[in-house]
Amino acid sequence: MIRSLSEMPALVRSLLADVETEVVEHKEAKRNFGFEKLGKYFSALSNEANLRNAECGWLLFGVTDKRKICGTSYRKEERRPSVGLRALKHEIAENLNNGLTFEEIYEFDIEGKRVVAFQIPPCEFASPTTWRGVPWSREDSSLKEMPRFKLEAIWGQSRPDWSKRASFEACLDDLDPEAVKFACERYVDKYAEKQPAIRSLSEEEML
């Protein structure tokens, strides 16, 4: 979900108040931040967001190790949003798999200090996000190549089988009449010999 800029200061404060999350990383990035490390953090936060069923991951620039707002000049320009920040979406996507990039990059002030917040989508279903072909993860406060058990947790994901779920609000009118007729005919063919009463049931009763 894309946020409005007016929402971001309160959101950042709430993110920084949660000291136990693996889907939020904050850096001072006072003037610059290495492109390679940025890509690795994208991969790590994307993968952690998937494993924790989070809506997204967050990388915050302009925040100290002690979670204090210090401000950042990363790709700062006279106008906002800066062209340099907007260009990052394309630059980062070239080295990620599955066509991923930042959901959004926010540039705003908190207490008169510039903050940049990167919103990172979870990795795709059963497919870890890789940076230059390597999947990364968070281990405590460090970046690590993704360990085997986390990779297997993502690779082993299975989609829910919607066909096994009861649709309690459905009625006969929601079904294709031809499909209903075909299913009932096959049901009669299979069971009528042992249960002759089936032949007297209506399609609705049979269903």
Side-chain angles (χ1 to χ4, degrees):
M1 180 178 70
I2 304 299
R3 274 73 172 184
S4 66
L5 284 178
S6 62
E7 295 177 82
M8 292 307 298
L11 175 61
V12 167
R13 289 189 179 98
S14 68
L15 292 173
L16 294 177
D18 184 359
V19 297
E20 297 299 329
T21 181
E22 289 294 318
V23 297
V24 178
E25 180 63 58
H26 48 86
K27 297 293 181 183
E28 289 190 18
K30 286 186 176 180
R31 296 177 183 81
N32 205 352
F33 194 81
F35 186 68
E36 287 299 309
K37 184 166 280 191
L38 180 64
K40 292 175 182 178
Y41 269 115
F42 186 113
S43 170
L45 292 169
S46 176
N47 291 327
E48 298 294 345
N50 171 287
L51 289 169
R52 288 163 174 74
N53 295 312
E55 175 205 341
C56 59
W58 291 96
L59 177 60
L60 309 174
F61 283 0
V63 182
T64 69
D65 289 341
K66 296 183 178 180
R67 299 172 179 260
K68 302 295 184 183
I69 305 298
C70 62
T72 177
S73 295
Y74 179 78
R75 297 204 178 193
K76 184 178 181 180
E77 299 172 13
E78 290 186 7
R79 60 178 296 178
R80 294 185 183 182
S82 80
V83 174
L85 283 178
R86 293 201 304 271
L88 265 177
K89 285 190 174 184
H90 173 70
E91 293 171 13
I92 208 85
E94 290 186 324
N95 300 285
L96 295 165
N97 60 328
N98 297 325
L100 291 179
T101 190
F102 297 110
E103 284 188 54
E104 190 56 274
I105 302 173
Y106 305 89
E107 184 180 10
F108 53 96
D109 292 334
I110 297 180
E111 301 167 358
K113 298 172 183 175
R114 179 174 177 265
V115 174
V116 176
F118 300 91
Q119 186 176 2
I120 298 170
C123 71
E124 293 192 354
F125 175 81
S127 179
T129 297
T130 62
W131 173 253
R132 300 192 192 278
V134 178
W136 293 82
S137 70
R138 292 277 304 283
E139 302 297 328
D140 296 322
S141 59
S142 301
L143 277 174
K144 301 287 185 182
E145 288 191 26
M146 202 167 206
R148 186 76 184 183
F149 77 93
K150 286 188 176 181
L151 286 171
E152 290 178 348
I154 294 177
W155 288 334
Q157 290 171 345
S158 59
R159 297 187 186 278
D161 186 351
W162 62 267
S163 67
K164 293 182 179 179
R165 294 182 178 180
S167 182
F168 296 104
E169 297 179 357
C171 64
L172 189 60
D173 292 338
D174 294 316
L175 303 176
D176 183 330
E178 291 300 317
V180 171
K181 180 181 178 182
F182 178 82
C184 289
E185 288 174 349
R186 298 289 81 75
Y187 188 78
V188 170
D189 290 344
K190 185 172 183 179
Y191 295 106
E193 185 175 343
K194 294 182 179 180
Q195 301 178 50
I198 288 175
R199 297 184 185 276
S200 63
L201 297 178
S202 66
E203 290 181 346
E204 186 171 3
E205 289 170 330
M206 206 174 297
L207 291 173

